[in-house]
Every structure is written in structure tokens, then in C-alpha cells.
Amino acid sequence: MSDVKVAPEGLEVAAVLDAKGLSCPMPLLRTKKEMGKINGGEILHVMGTDPGSRNDIPGWCDRAGHEYLGEKEESGYISFFIKKG
């Protein structure tokens, strides 16, 4: 997967969503709900273990008008960063 967008360092996040252990479609559903709680321009940090989220979250961001800032491979999970549009 060479087209993975890597998140920049030092992002200031407004909220963190722990979606580790959840299977599709729950990580995306929880992400949508959490995005409703933050203001435009703020960043949501989503922590997940479902490999399908690598496609689901960026695709949803495109459709929903949010900016997908990228992901980071962590120890045992993946961090996704989304800037609310």
C-alpha cells in the first residue's frame, strides 16, 4: 500500500475517538458521530484496528467535505486524522 497518506507531525487535535477493536462499519459510524461534536477546522484523531478503515475513512472524507490529513501506523493500531470541513 504505497499510496498511504502519512499524517504530518505535531497536529493539534480537538477530540480523540478510540475505535480500536471495532469492525466495519462501526469505526466509520462512530467517526461520523464524533465529527458532529467538533467545530469546522478542528481535527479529530481516530484510533482503529480495522484495516478496512484505511479505505473507508478517506473515502468518506471526500464525500462528506472533510480533509483527510493522513494516518500513522502505531503499535497495534492505526491513527487517522481528519480536519472537519
Side-chain angles (χ1 to χ4, degrees):
M1 198 171 212
S2 59
D3 60 343
V4 170
K5 183 173 182 179
V6 178
E9 294 293 327
L11 292 174
E12 188 175 322
V13 298
V16 178
L17 171 62
D18 186 350
K20 293 183 288 213
L22 299 178
S23 298
C24 187
M26 291 311 295
L28 186 57
L29 294 175
R30 295 261 177 99
T31 298
K32 289 179 183 179
K33 185 175 181 180
E34 201 64 31
M35 287 297 281
K37 299 177 184 177
I38 66 173
N39 298 315
E42 291 184 326
I43 297 171
L44 175 65
H45 173 192
V46 180
M47 299 181 293
T49 52
D50 181 13
S53 294
R54 289 188 134 148
N55 293 321
D56 296 344
I57 291 177
W60 172 75
C61 287
D62 285 343
R63 293 188 304 276
H66 304 302
E67 182 182 353
Y68 180 67
L69 299 176
E71 66 181 61
K72 288 185 185 174
E73 188 79 39
E74 308 284 0
S75 181
Y77 65 96
I78 306 163
S79 286
F80 302 96
F81 298 88
I82 306 163
K83 185 174 185 179
K84 186 169 182 174

